């Protein structure tokens, strides 16, 4: 592919004339990267097999990893799935539009290239005004994975998308930062109870407010890395900066001490070390490439900054990254899920 057009659109004052152009590109089989409330997505017409294949090609994505289909109104789900169970209706009513994707039995209209041959399809209705308007104007359901090169951290700012995909897609819409900063929660709604296949913006605790029981795919719980995840994408290495990431987990004083010690050791043998920490601990590390994800009191800020921080280490050319762990409560569960994947399960547990 040759030229990528970049359009700047203000999400608070959307210029509908400009938005018409990428909407038409989508409808006519092209690829468009756009902001959502979770991360930037790379979209194509979900009903056009040739268009969807361009997504896989631009990202270098394995073809056995299915895509999420995005819609702009709840009723647009009807032709895409076989049936909508009561629990799915309840979930959509409460959390759509928003950062949650549901898995249901697919209808015959969904091409195989979307589902990687599964008999289910993932559907999401994003709340970001640009995403919502773009899908509406394109008049087609929009298949969209995160708009990063496969394996890299998901993009939370337009500059990340431009870095990864300029020259590989038709259009990039630059529309500011993403609110959540982590990909949507993926929930299988084909069973009796919701089952979380990927933790994300809507937490297990949020779901428990409306469902008596909420299950979690055992394969995504730590310590079960030998099980095969029900969501194909969860089996791949992900979110990897160039440098090796190691997570240090323990009480905060021990963690800081251990990271300080490891940093000295590695620097002695000539490695450049990066530290991923929090506002509360930042001052405790001597100079070097020290990046804070935000305050431990605000897990939403930490979620928002994680991927950008991982990408920043690439620019700083570090050889090794030591990362503090955070509490696995609420959104902290999704944050630690992404961090552990970025680290390839490399976690040093202290004090046990
Ligand atoms: O927040 C998000 O979900 C973003 C924005 C752009 O909407 N999209 C995103 O897409 O994260 P992607 O492709 O990076 O991740 C989709 C995940 C993958 O783990 C994939 O395996 C899973 O959803 N998935 C898709 N269809 C599935 C299905 N039928 N059954 C189980 N998992 C499925
Ligand atoms: Mg992705």
């Amino acid at each position: 592919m040759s030229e990528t057009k970049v359009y700047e659109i203000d999400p608070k004052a959307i210029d509908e004339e400009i938005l018409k152009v990428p909407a038409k590109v989508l409808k006519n089989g092209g690829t468009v990267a756009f902001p959502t409330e979770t991360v930037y997505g790379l979209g194509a017409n979900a009903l056009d097999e040739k268009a969807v294949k361009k997504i896989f090609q631009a990202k270098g994505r394995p073809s056995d990893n299915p895509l999420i289909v995005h819609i702009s109104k709840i009723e647009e789900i009807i032709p895409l799935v076989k049936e909508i169970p009561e629990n799915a209706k309840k979930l959509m009513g409460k959390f759509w539009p928003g950062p949650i994707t549901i898995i249901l039995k697919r209808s015959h209209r969904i091409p195989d290239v979307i589902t990687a041959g599964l008999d289910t399809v993932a559907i999401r209705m994003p709340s970001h005004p640009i995403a919502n308007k773009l899908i509406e104007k394109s008049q087609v359901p929009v298949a969209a994975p995160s708009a990063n090169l496969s394996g890299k951290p998901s993009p939370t700012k337009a500059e990340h998308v431009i870095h990864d995909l300029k020259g590989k897609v038709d259009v990039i819409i630059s529309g500011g930062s993403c609110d959540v900063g982590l990909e949507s929660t993926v929930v299988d709604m084909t069973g009796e109870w919701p089952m979380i296949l990927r933790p994300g913006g809507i937490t297990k605790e949020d779901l428990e407010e409306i469902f008596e029981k909420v299950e979690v795919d055992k394969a995504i719980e730590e310590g079960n890395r030998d099980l095969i995840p029900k969501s194909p994408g969860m089996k791949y290495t992900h979110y990897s900066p160039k440098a090796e990431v190691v997570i240090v987990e323990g009480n905060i004083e021990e963690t800081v001490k251990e990271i300080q010690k490891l940093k000295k050791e590695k620097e002695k043998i000539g490695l450049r070390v990066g530290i991923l920490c929090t506002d509360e601990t930042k001052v405790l590390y001597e100079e070097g490439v020290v990046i804070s994800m935000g305050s431990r009191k605000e897990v939403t800020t930490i979620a928002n900054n994680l991927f950008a921080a991982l990408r920043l280490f690439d620019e700083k050319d570090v050889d090794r990254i030591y990362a503090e762990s955070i509490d696995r409560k609420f959104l902290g569960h999704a944050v630690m899920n992404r961090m552990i994947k970025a680290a390839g399960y490399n976690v040093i547990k202290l004090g046990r």
Side-chain angles (χ1 to χ4, degrees), residues 39 59 61 65 145-155 183 198 238-239:
V39 300
K59 280 183 56 97
R61 181 179 176 105
N65 191 4
S146 47
N148 51 284
L149 289 176
S150 223
K152 288 285 151 201
S154 295
E183 308 86 344
R198 175 175 78 178
H238 253 331
Y239 319 119

Side-chain angles (χ1 to χ4, degrees), residues 42-314:
L42 174 59
N45 178 352
L47 304 178
D48 178 342
E49 198 178 323
K50 243 170 91 187
V52 174
K53 282 191 174 150
K54 292 181 190 166
I55 293 179
F56 284 90
Q57 201 173 15
K59 280 183 56 97
R61 181 179 176 105
S63 61
D64 65 347
N65 191 4
L67 302 178
I68 298 172
V69 178
H70 297 69
I71 57 177
S72 66
K73 287 185 201 65
I74 289 191
E75 60 266 28
E76 288 163 9
I77 193 176
I78 296 167
L80 307 176
V81 298
K82 217 173 183 176
E83 59 196 2
I84 308 176
E86 281 310 310
N87 273 348
K89 283 186 194 149
K90 198 160 138 186
L91 188 152
M92 295 186 291
K94 170 90 178 171
F95 296 110
W96 274 9
I100 188 158
T101 296
I102 64 173
I103 308 284
L104 290 175
K105 293 267 184 238
R106 68 190 271 201
S107 82
H108 64 275
R109 298 196 57 189
I110 302 283
D112 284 339
V113 59
I114 295 275
T115 66
L118 298 174
D119 63 351
T120 52
V121 61
I123 315 265
R124 172 161 117 79
M125 176 177 165
S127 62
H128 193 291
I130 294 180
N132 199 275
K133 274 253 153 63
L134 174 72
I135 300 164
E136 185 190 314
K137 283 190 185 300
S138 75
Q139 298 172 315
V140 292
V142 175
S146 47
N148 51 284
L149 289 176
S150 223
K152 288 285 151 201
S154 295
T156 54
K157 299 174 195 290
E159 68 203 56
H160 301 155
V161 183
I162 290 169
H163 178 272
D164 279 15
L165 297 179
K166 193 149 192 247
K168 298 189 160 136
V169 301
D170 295 313
V171 174
I172 295 173
I173 298 178
S174 165
S177 300
C178 302
D179 279 349
V180 181
L182 299 177
E183 308 86 344
S184 63
T185 310
V186 176
V187 189
D188 185 344
M189 296 304 292
T190 61
E192 189 185 356
W193 298 110
M195 180 185 280
I196 298 177
L197 307 187
R198 175 175 78 178
I202 303 290
T203 64
K204 179 164 189 262
E205 291 85 347
D206 292 330
L207 290 170
E208 279 166 349
E209 276 178 27
I210 59 164
F211 295 110
E212 228 173 283
K213 196 169 161 196
V214 177
E215 297 178 310
V216 178
D217 179 9
K218 287 204 169 53
I220 63 166
E221 286 175 346
E222 283 163 54
N224 287 338
R225 48 186 288 209
D226 299 332
L227 301 178
I228 296 171
K230 293 189 192 339
S231 179
M234 299 299 282
K235 71 174 185 275
Y236 294 106
T237 330
H238 253 331
Y239 319 119
S240 315
K242 289 182 209 141
E244 190 181 322
V245 182
V246 179
I247 297 171
V248 179
E249 179 161 28
N251 78 39
I252 196 65
E253 289 82 17
E254 282 176 346
T255 300
V256 172
K257 256 199 218 141
E258 181 70 14
I259 294 181
Q260 285 166 335
K261 189 188 98 193
L262 289 163
K263 176 172 185 263
K264 276 212 188 90
E265 276 173 21
K266 297 301 164 202
E267 282 175 346
K268 235 188 228 154
I269 57 168
L271 293 185
R272 226 172 117 76
V273 173
I275 295 173
L276 184 60
C277 63
T278 50
D279 287 357
E280 286 80 359
T281 54
K282 192 165 184 209
V283 293
L284 302 173
Y285 300 104
E286 290 129 51
E287 78 276 22
V289 186
V290 182
I291 299 175
S292 170
M293 300 177 279
S295 167
R296 289 178 172 272
K297 295 190 196 94
E298 289 168 41
V299 67
T300 50
T301 309
I302 290 183
N304 202 271
N305 290 330
L306 174 67
F307 289 148
L310 289 173
R311 280 177 178 263
L312 207 52
F313 283 117
D314 275 356

Side-chain angles (χ1 to χ4, degrees), residues 20-45:
K20 263 189 200 160
V21 183
K24 205 164 167 198
V25 171
L26 274 180
K27 190 172 186 183
N28 294 337
T31 48
V32 176
F34 58 95
T36 84
E37 71 278 21
T38 57
V39 300
Y40 272 75
L42 174 59
N45 178 352

